[in-house]
């Protein structure tokens, strides 16, 4: 086990430098102060307050229900924890699709009220005007292409994206547009590894993959998934770096037993 000690705050400029140097970027989701503190102390480069909070924190089946206010509430805790990492907050479904003005207003609200460093949006050419306006307003934007869970009802599921030539070409085109517009990074989710490699080589900004092979400039996973806390979810791309569900349940079982048999609290644990 190693702790990747960093002595200064991560910036979008440093991320670009990491791509140029061939240094991989490690990103994880976080939704609360306590876990985000541990992840930050371990040396993560980017903390993403993903709208996967809708599933992980709120227990919804989709990312769609989570609101701007809920994302801001969660992001505040992560921002307080982050001593090193760049903190990115997902813009939730409905907060940037209606108009460019509304998109910029919501992005500004998220930045001002949560204190995060940047926002992430799902989509390509269709949301380019909103992205351009945000970047013109000085807001760092991370793109997200491939499987974009906010569009699950359009896709009809969470399967692999861009298998066919036409969708692969559109994705490559979209990635170039996002890069030219000034996105500081792009997430590629659940697409063939060869396509992710093409995109990574074609754009100047760092590309972060999830289910997109190992030729991207970095990787992201949902924290609760990689810690093995989310027992029902094991897609091919997911590696469990720990099995914490069992650890948590064992600890809670031991606690229940100790309460029931009156061995907790002991004299030493009493005043
Ligand atoms: O919401 C999220 O957790 C994400 C990651 C999967 C990239 O967008």
């Amino acid at each position: 086990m190693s702790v990747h000690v960093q002595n200064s705050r991560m910036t979008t400029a440093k991320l670009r430098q990491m791509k140029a140097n061939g240094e991989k970027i490690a990103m994880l989701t976080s939704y609360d102060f306590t876990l985000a503190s541990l992840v930050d102390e371990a040396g993560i480069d980017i903390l993403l307050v993903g709208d996967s909070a809708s599933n992980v924190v709120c227990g919804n089946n989709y990312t769609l229900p989570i609101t701007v206010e809920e994302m801001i509430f969660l992001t505040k805790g992560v921002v307080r924890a982050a001593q090193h990492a760049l903190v990115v907050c997902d813009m939730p479904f409905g907060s940037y699709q209606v108009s460019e003005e509304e998109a910029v207003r919501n992005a500004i609200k998220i930045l001002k009220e949560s204190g995060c460093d940047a926002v992430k949006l799902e989509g390509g050419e269709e949301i380019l005007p909103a992205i351009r306006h945000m970047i013109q307003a000085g807001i760092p934007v991370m793109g997200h292409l491939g499987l974009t869970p906010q569009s699950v009802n359009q896709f009809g599921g969470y399967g692999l994206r861009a298998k066919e030539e036409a969708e692969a070409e559109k994705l490559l085109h979209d990635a170039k547009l996002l890069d030219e517009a000034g996105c500081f990074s792009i997430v590629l989710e659940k697409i063939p590894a060869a396509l992710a490699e093409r995109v990574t080589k074609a754009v100047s900004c760092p590309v972060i993959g999830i289910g997109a092979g190992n030729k991207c400039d970095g990787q992201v996973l949902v924290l609760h998934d990689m810690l093995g806390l989310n027992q029902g979810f094991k897609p091919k791309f997911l590696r469990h770096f720990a099995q914490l569900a069992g650890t948590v349940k064992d600890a809670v079982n031991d606690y229940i037993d100790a309460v029931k048999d009156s061995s907790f609290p002991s004299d030493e644990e009493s005043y």
Side-chain angles (χ1 to χ4, degrees):
M1 189 191 73
S2 56
V3 174
H4 301 274
V5 180
Q6 309 279 348
N7 51 16
S8 61
R9 291 301 302 268
M10 181 55 66
T11 63
T12 57
K14 284 186 192 170
L15 292 170
R16 277 189 184 273
Q17 196 53 53
M18 286 171 81
K19 174 169 179 135
N21 296 346
E23 188 184 339
K24 294 276 186 166
I25 297 163
M27 166 163 144
L28 281 171
T29 68
S30 273
Y31 318 100
D32 73 327
F33 175 82
T34 305
L35 281 177
S37 299
L38 294 175
V39 176
D40 185 75
E41 273 174 38
I44 204 76
D45 298 309
I46 306 175
L47 285 164
L48 170 67
V49 188
D51 60 355
S52 50
S54 179
N55 310 66
V56 174
V57 178
C58 309
N60 295 312
N61 286 331
Y62 304 102
T63 58
L64 280 74
I66 202 155
T67 64
V68 168
E69 283 69 26
E70 288 165 337
M71 289 301 298
I72 290 172
F73 173 80
L74 297 173
T75 305
K76 280 181 180 175
V78 174
V79 167
R80 286 183 202 115
Q83 300 299 309
H84 157 71
L86 188 93
V87 180
V88 181
C89 175
D90 256 339
M91 292 195 68
F93 178 66
S95 67
Y96 58 94
Q97 293 90 345
V98 176
S99 70
E100 290 139 52
E101 285 75 20
E102 202 173 303
V104 177
R105 204 170 293 120
N106 279 322
I108 289 173
K109 180 179 166 76
I110 289 171
L111 249 73
K112 279 172 92 93
E113 294 183 20
S114 74
C116 70
D117 300 300
V119 294
K120 176 165 82 61
L121 284 75
E122 296 182 5
E125 194 163 8
E126 57 290 351
I127 56 155
L128 202 59
I131 289 179
R132 285 209 180 102
H133 274 75
M134 285 179 199
I135 292 171
Q136 274 161 19
I139 300 165
V141 175
M142 176 180 263
H144 184 156
L145 298 170
L147 174 60
T148 47
Q150 293 178 11
S151 306
V152 62
N153 294 323
Q154 209 168 38
F155 295 155
Y158 293 101
L160 184 71
R161 301 307 309 177
K163 286 175 289 196
E164 310 303 334
E165 188 60 17
E167 193 183 341
E169 288 308 318
K170 175 172 171 10
L171 190 146
L172 183 59
H173 175 69
D174 282 344
K176 287 179 184 169
L177 290 176
L178 295 185
D179 189 40
E180 283 158 18
C183 283
F184 74 88
S185 175
I186 300 171
V187 168
L188 295 181
E189 181 164 355
K190 218 168 176 186
I191 63 167
L195 174 61
E197 183 176 5
R198 269 177 82 196
V199 174
T200 304
K201 286 182 176 153
V203 298
S204 64
C205 69
V207 171
I208 313 289
I210 172 165
N214 73 359
K215 295 292 194 293
C216 299
D217 301 305
Q219 298 291 326
V220 57
L221 285 175
V222 168
L223 182 66
H224 293 56
D225 295 344
M226 59 83 80
L227 291 179
L229 281 165
N230 183 1
Q231 288 175 300
F233 186 64
K234 183 67 184 81
K236 178 178 168 171
F237 68 78
L238 175 61
R239 185 185 298 180
H240 285 148
F241 288 82
Q243 296 287 353
L244 294 193
T247 307
V248 170
K249 279 200 269 183
D250 287 348
V252 174
N253 275 327
D254 290 350
Y255 168 73
I256 294 169
D257 289 347
V259 171
K260 301 279 180 192
D261 68 14
S262 299
S263 63
F264 177 81
S266 64
D267 288 347
E268 293 73 34
E269 289 158 333
S270 303
Y271 296 96

